[in-house]
Amino acid sequence: MENSLKAQELRTLTGKVTDAQTGEAIPYATIYVKLTDGKKKAAASDFDGLYRLTIPQNLATDSVYTAYVSYTTTRKLLPHGNHPILDFQLSEGGRLLNTVTITPKSYVNPAWEIMENLVKNKPQNDQRYLKSYGYQSYNRIEISVVNIGEKMKKNKVIRQVLPLMDDLQKIAGEEGSPSLPIFMSETISDYRYMTSPEQKTEHVLRTKVSGVGIEDETLISQLAGSTFLQYNFYSNFLKLANKEFISPTSNSWKTYYNYELTDAHDKIEGKEYYKIEFKPKRSHDLAFDGVMWITKDSYALYRIDCTVSKDANLNFLNKIRIQQAMVQPSGTTAWIPKQTRIVINVGTTSKKLSGFIAKFYLSNKDIEVNKDYPASLFKEPMVMDKDVNKIDEKYWVKNRADSLTAADKAVYKMIDTVKNLPLVKTYADIAGMLINGYYKVGKISFGPYPYTYSYNDLEGSVLRIGATTNTRFSEKLILSGFLSYGFRDERFKYNGAVDYIFSRKPWVQAGISYQHDIGQTGYQFENFVLAQNNVFSASIRNGKVSKRGPFTQNIWNTYVQTDLFSNVRGKLSLAHRTFDPLFNFMYRDNEDKITYNNYEVSEAIGEIQWTPGRRLLESSKINKRIMIGNGNGSPIFTFRYTHGIKAAGGDFNYNKFALNIYQRPLLGIFGRGEYSLTAGYIPDALPYPLLENHRFNFNTMRFLEFTSDRYVSLNYTQHMDGLITNSIPLLKKLNVRTVAVLNVLEGSLSDQNNEAFIRGRGKLNRSLGGIPYVEAGYGVENIFKILRVDFLHRLTHKQHLNDAGLEPSNFAIRTTLQFRL
């Protein structure tokens, strides 16, 4: 009877605490009631924002409060009933550690000793010091349209989903902002990591995808794997949005952050932890605001909840938040992430404009450490199970880390409704065109659209139409081509190509093509780039083409390429090209005593490219290779050998050798570097259009000003992000960033080739003559978030053009359009 009475005196209150704007769960929030005896009864939300609070019936007041760092404390009336449910939606605006703390010189911050011990104990607590580890991961990704205002509700698409708005509001809660879900995926995979040598692999077991404009679930399965959601705060820097953010547990923590010990005895499940708030000393640095919990016995990171500073110099990303809970597997001192949640707001800088919010949730289980894995396990960085896209709801109920809530199920249902709306499908096609450069109409994709119109002094206005077949036509056979017409020269140009994909793993592809078009000596040979830039390729067809050594060309080309090994691609091409100059040209072959006003060449080209740290995505819905990096900034090596064959219809026998190294290393607080190092050697005597004409990467150099048959060039750009501008108030407010540029060329031209050049192009000496060409510059990027302006100075060979009576070009201003976060 006594126990029954006690039970009746208690009430159990449950619910969920979420962010009012994003709907993200808020872990570790305090939910409490004030008692009539002056005390408080409190509970904390778990990682998923869920809480359970037992309240003495007769002692509780009529209100329930929720508090969490950086959020406004919220109060609600206590509902009736013995098992009431009460959800909270919190708004940002609460107190967080001040940016600058002024203290006496003698003051010793109690948080400093804890941080010093945390860094000191990294070798025993950091998972990277384990021999190996592995686990099964479950991750969920959700993308939604947010900030749906009255103006947006008048949009044709939104009007069609207005009947769903009530459901959206129910999902958001009484005080939350409704969002329109457009994508959701779930993935289960086995992840394994070995420290020495560093190797990792992921076996994707099953994926479930639903989204607007999604055609290839297999591709999404690879992009949605847990590999892309791995964050280790023990690292000095965390890569996020293709930038490096300073970790609050960095070895240089005192240099970049202020800390405050807010609770030295915070209890979680009966154990005490240090609770420390942190904030960057400079608000515009790529750093975090937040709070973390540190174990008292081993000074290990137990929990962390952090947000990228609102003032951080980022584009289009309004907010990035990372929450992580750690677990210590038995038999080891190391801690491994058990749960991770990442929330990213995209493009919601104005209250009047809609944007997107992306939520990522990762949960690991069945953790194992220090196992001996066979080397064969790491042969492929990612393996797709044969049943990866199998539809089986029972599998998900059994294997997902947590059951779907009613809100999650409503999201799936809503996405299925939205993606089937005709107008939404049209918008998705248009978005695909803007991203890929092609507009899909059934089995044909038209484009690339940047080529549609151009104007130059040779052809006048040029209209062009191009098209290629897509996977609706065939998953292996690709037909493509273009037709263009110049209204000044009144000539048609055209191209036709047939490509065939024999295998996707390993990738084996071959093709043949023919092209009749205008070429430019200044841009004749392919630059060493991973992917073609359609905007740049289209732009060089404009302007004063007559000064770039233009010529008419007919090109037959056939090729075969394959993956020779992991991250090693081989390509063999056979080509026959004509050269009919549209400018005064003459070449005298002293050996054969022949003078050429035009010529033909036949070439065999072999190329090997090594891309360590990158992998090829598998897709049956996209007829091209999709190469992605693993974030380590590894260099890319490309070697190319070209052999000219006179016996195959060409006019010359020759050899060309070229090696390129390209890398974009992350440099922490110094931003990001980007360089291309190229070396080339041409041992034979050739007409100068077949030699290396260097204008491609040197902005203060004239077209055909310098030519080499052996050379080494370095093109380096340092993106300093906010390293300098964050200290200048006006520039800091504008979020502009500084860049530095250095271009160096060391080359030479044999006497035979230089004499032939002089005879063909006048008296200007095209050889560098043993003096390197050096070009340096500085610039500002992120102007209006999309513009970059560079100011470039020629430092050597300043009199070169003057000596020939030509107008000097020792200074250049370059404006480019770019999208960088």
Side-chain angles (χ1 to χ4, degrees):
M1 183 69 178
E2 183 179 349
N3 290 337
S4 177
L5 179 62
K6 288 183 178 180
Q8 291 178 6
E9 292 175 351
L10 299 177
R11 301 172 64 191
T12 301
L13 181 66
T14 60
K16 187 173 184 177
V17 185
T18 58
D19 184 293
Q21 181 188 10
T22 66
E24 65 189 282
I26 299 180
Y28 327 134
T30 301
I31 302 92
Y32 64 93
V33 295
K34 297 178 180 179
L35 305 180
T36 55
D37 60 4
K39 297 181 180 180
K40 293 181 181 179
K41 183 65 175 177
S45 60
D46 63 13
F47 191 83
D48 297 312
L50 302 174
Y51 73 90
R52 183 184 182 89
L53 175 63
T54 302
I55 307 169
Q57 176 81 22
N58 299 328
L59 296 178
T61 58
D62 63 351
S63 299
V64 184
Y65 300 85
T66 303
Y68 188 61
V69 62
S70 79
Y71 285 91
T72 302
T73 300
T74 300
R75 169 184 173 273
K76 285 190 176 184
L77 291 176
L78 179 64
H80 299 291
N82 290 331
H83 300 283
I85 298 175
L86 187 61
D87 295 329
F88 289 89
Q89 296 83 41
L90 305 187
S91 299
E92 292 188 358
R95 171 196 172 275
L96 190 65
L97 179 66
N98 294 327
T99 303
V100 179
T101 304
I102 301 176
T103 57
K105 291 183 178 180
S106 59
Y107 173 75
V108 177
N109 189 330
W112 291 352
E113 181 181 358
I114 300 170
M115 292 303 301
E116 288 171 354
N117 281 308
L118 183 146
V119 172
K120 180 181 177 181
N121 284 276
K122 275 187 181 183
Q124 68 185 46
N125 295 327
D126 188 347
Q127 65 195 46
R128 292 175 298 176
Y129 290 90
L130 293 169
K131 182 176 74 173
S132 66
Y133 59 85
Y135 41 72
Q136 184 175 103
S137 286
Y138 164 80
N139 76 70
R140 184 168 61 243
I141 302 174
E142 180 185 333
I143 301 176
S144 304
V145 179
V146 295
N147 202 16
I148 304 174
E150 293 301 320
K151 185 176 181 180
M152 186 178 179
K153 291 179 181 178
K154 297 178 182 179
N155 181 278
K156 292 180 181 180
V157 174
I158 301 302
R159 281 207 307 266
Q160 294 184 49
V161 298
L162 277 179
L164 303 174
M165 293 301 291
D166 289 341
D167 292 333
L168 293 173
Q169 188 62 63
K170 290 177 182 177
I171 294 174
E174 296 176 6
E175 300 174 16
S177 301
S179 59
L180 180 63
I182 58 174
F183 174 85
M184 188 170 181
S185 74
E186 295 178 275
T187 302
I188 294 176
S189 59
D190 288 332
Y191 182 85
R192 300 291 183 267
Y193 177 91
M194 181 176 289
T195 303
S196 183
E198 185 179 15
Q199 299 178 90
K200 51 190 170 183
T201 185
E202 182 174 8
H203 183 187
V204 181
L205 303 173
R206 199 66 62 92
T207 297
K208 183 179 180 182
V209 179
S210 181
V212 176
I214 301 300
E215 292 190 15
D216 189 357
E217 293 187 358
T218 303
L219 182 62
I220 299 299
S221 300
Q222 297 165 82
L223 291 173
S226 66
T227 300
F228 301 97
L229 301 176
Q230 305 292 330
Y231 290 99
N232 185 351
F233 279 91
Y234 282 120
S235 302
N236 291 329
F237 294 92
L238 278 77
K239 184 180 178 184
L240 193 63
N242 211 29
K243 294 180 180 291
E244 285 196 316
F245 289 75
I246 306 162
S247 172
T249 66
S250 162
N251 292 347
S252 303
W253 54 272
K254 192 181 290 187
T255 303
Y256 302 107
Y257 283 95
N258 287 320
Y259 298 84
E260 182 179 330
L261 177 63
T262 56
D263 193 341
H265 306 284
D266 193 11
K267 284 191 175 183
I268 302 174
E269 298 177 353
K271 294 185 66 175
E272 287 190 346
Y273 297 86
Y274 298 112
K275 182 180 179 182
I276 295 180
E277 294 180 17
F278 51 89
K279 191 177 183 71
K281 290 185 176 180
R282 298 198 314 170
S283 62
H284 272 54
D285 281 348
L286 296 180
F288 300 93
D289 298 330
V291 57
M292 58 184 165
W293 289 259
I294 299 171
T295 62
K296 278 199 165 187
D297 53 355
S298 60
Y299 294 96
L301 181 64
Y302 177 63
R303 288 177 174 175
I304 188 167
D305 184 356
C306 59
T307 304
V308 172
S309 173
K310 293 180 179 179
D311 296 327
N313 198 327
L314 290 175
N315 285 337
F316 313 112
L317 301 184
N318 239 18
K319 177 182 179 181
I320 302 176
R321 183 172 190 169
I322 304 177
Q323 301 163 334
Q324 192 171 79
M326 311 289 288
V327 65
Q328 187 180 38
S330 60
T332 180
T333 61
W335 293 73
I336 290 177
K338 182 181 180 182
Q339 293 170 295
T340 303
R341 180 181 292 106
I342 305 166
V343 180
I344 301 176
N345 279 41
V346 182
T348 56
T349 55
S350 171
K351 294 182 178 180
K352 296 181 180 180
L353 298 177
S354 298
F356 296 89
I357 181 169
K359 304 176 187 178
F360 307 84
Y361 172 78
L362 177 69
S363 178
N364 300 324
K365 68 176 184 178
D366 299 335
I367 299 174
E368 58 185 30
V369 299
N370 295 328
K371 299 286 186 180
D372 291 320
Y373 296 128
S376 59
L377 183 67
F378 300 95
K379 185 178 180 181
E380 295 288 341
M382 180 172 283
V383 178
M384 309 298 293
D385 194 271
K386 61 182 179 62
D387 293 328
V388 65
N389 290 319
K390 183 179 179 180
I391 299 174
D392 182 1
E393 189 56 38
K394 292 182 179 179
Y395 176 90
W396 290 102
V397 172
K398 180 181 178 181
N399 291 281
R400 63 165 56 101
D402 53 357
S403 60
L404 289 183
T405 65
D408 294 329
K409 294 177 182 178
V411 167
Y412 266 126
K413 182 178 180 180
M414 204 167 300
I415 291 173
D416 289 337
T417 301
V418 172
K419 72 180 183 181
N420 290 317
L421 295 174
L423 198 55
V424 170
K425 292 182 178 180
T426 300
Y427 279 20
D429 288 341
I430 294 174
M433 180 193 73
L434 296 176
I435 295 171
N436 301 317
Y438 288 87
Y439 185 75
K440 184 181 293 185
V441 181
K443 299 179 181 181
I444 306 296
S445 298
F446 292 92
Y449 64 84
Y451 289 86
T452 303
Y453 175 80
S454 61
Y455 179 87
N456 61 72
D457 59 348
L458 199 64
E459 300 172 279
S461 294
V462 180
L463 292 179
R464 169 171 155 166
I465 183 171
T468 182
T469 58
N470 53 53
T471 52
R472 294 182 185 178
F473 173 81
S474 172
E475 294 181 358
K476 293 189 174 183
L477 180 63
I478 310 166
L479 307 178
S480 61
F482 72 80
L483 177 67
S484 68
Y485 181 77
F487 286 86
R488 177 172 295 176
D489 65 355
E490 299 181 337
R491 293 180 180 273
F492 284 99
K493 292 87 180 177
Y494 46 86
N495 161 272
V498 179
D499 299 89
Y500 192 82
I501 301 171
F502 291 90
S503 169
R504 281 180 159 78
K505 190 175 182 180
W507 190 279
V508 180
Q509 179 176 327
I512 186 170
S513 64
Y514 176 77
Q515 180 171 329
H516 171 74
D517 200 1
I518 288 179
Q520 304 173 45
T521 302
Y523 292 123
Q524 183 176 0
F525 298 113
E526 179 185 2
N527 194 26
F528 289 92
V529 292
L530 284 180
Q532 182 180 6
N533 186 325
N534 285 326
V535 175
F536 174 77
S537 298
S539 68
I540 64 176
R541 306 183 70 86
N542 293 272
K544 296 181 179 180
V545 172
S546 59
K547 293 187 176 182
R548 304 171 192 166
F551 56 91
T552 301
Q553 60 181 348
N554 298 297
I555 306 175
W556 279 101
N557 182 69
T558 183
Y559 74 94
V560 60
Q561 68 176 45
T562 185
D563 296 324
L564 302 174
F565 307 100
S566 177
N567 300 321
V568 178
R569 175 183 64 86
K571 183 178 181 180
L572 177 63
S573 303
L574 299 174
H576 183 83
R577 296 184 286 112
T578 64
F579 177 87
D580 294 301
L582 299 173
F583 60 97
N584 291 328
F585 170 80
M586 183 271 293
Y587 174 71
R588 174 71 176 176
D589 188 331
N590 292 328
E591 182 177 339
D592 294 338
K593 308 301 181 182
I594 299 175
T595 299
Y596 294 90
N597 297 110
N598 54 41
Y599 58 78
E600 298 182 20
V601 295
S602 294
E603 296 177 328
I605 305 171
E607 181 176 291
I608 293 179
Q609 187 173 80
W610 180 35
T611 56
R614 289 164 176 81
R615 62 186 179 86
L616 179 68
L617 297 184
E618 302 173 43
S619 174
S620 61
K621 302 296 183 181
I622 301 177
N623 283 335
K624 63 180 180 180
R625 296 167 59 93
I626 303 174
M627 192 78 69
I628 60 173
N630 65 355
N632 61 3
S634 300
I636 299 168
F637 302 86
T638 306
F639 174 76
R640 184 181 299 154
Y641 169 66
T642 303
H643 179 62
I645 310 169
K646 194 171 185 179
D651 290 319
F652 312 103
N653 288 316
Y654 55 89
N655 297 281
K656 293 184 179 183
F657 305 87
L659 174 67
N660 174 263
I661 304 173
Y662 175 81
Q663 188 178 16
R664 299 181 65 194
L666 291 170
L667 301 174
I669 62 170
F670 298 102
R672 182 163 202 156
E674 182 176 2
Y675 72 85
S676 179
L677 178 65
T678 306
Y681 174 54
I682 305 172
D684 302 291
L686 288 172
Y688 63 83
L690 292 175
L691 302 177
E692 192 65 30
N693 297 281
H694 297 289
R695 174 60 172 80
F696 205 102
N697 292 312
F698 294 86
N699 297 273
T700 58
M701 188 185 294
R702 284 277 193 94
F703 284 99
L704 306 179
E705 182 180 352
F706 289 106
T707 300
S708 299
D709 49 32
R710 60 198 71 192
Y711 63 93
V712 176
S713 67
L714 172 67
N715 303 102
Y716 185 88
T717 300
Q718 180 64 42
H719 300 272
M720 291 180 281
D721 293 333
L723 180 64
I724 297 176
T725 54
N726 285 356
S727 302
I728 304 173
L730 177 59
L731 297 181
K732 174 180 175 181
K733 187 175 181 180
L734 293 175
N735 268 352
V736 296
R737 309 162 184 165
T738 49
V739 294
V741 179
L742 176 65
N743 298 320
V744 180
L745 170 66
E746 171 63 55
S748 63
L749 192 63
S750 66
D751 292 341
Q752 187 175 1
N753 280 328
N754 194 34
E755 290 173 4
F757 206 148
I758 294 174
R759 286 196 300 270
R761 292 288 292 176
K763 297 182 179 180
L764 184 62
N765 190 338
R766 261 65 181 185
S767 174
L768 286 165
I771 301 175
Y773 186 96
V774 182
E775 174 183 273
Y778 47 88
V780 178
E781 61 183 350
N782 208 43
I783 303 170
F784 306 119
K785 297 186 178 181
I786 58 173
L787 290 179
R788 170 180 164 184
V789 179
D790 292 312
F791 304 92
L792 298 148
H793 300 265
R794 181 191 291 210
L795 302 183
T796 59
H797 294 279
K798 288 186 175 183
Q799 298 299 317
H800 185 245
L801 294 173
N802 289 3
D803 293 342
L806 300 174
E807 182 181 350
S809 59
N810 294 327
F811 174 74
I813 298 177
R814 179 181 62 182
T815 302
T816 53
L817 182 69
Q818 63 180 20
F819 293 90
R820 291 171 56 89
L821 295 176

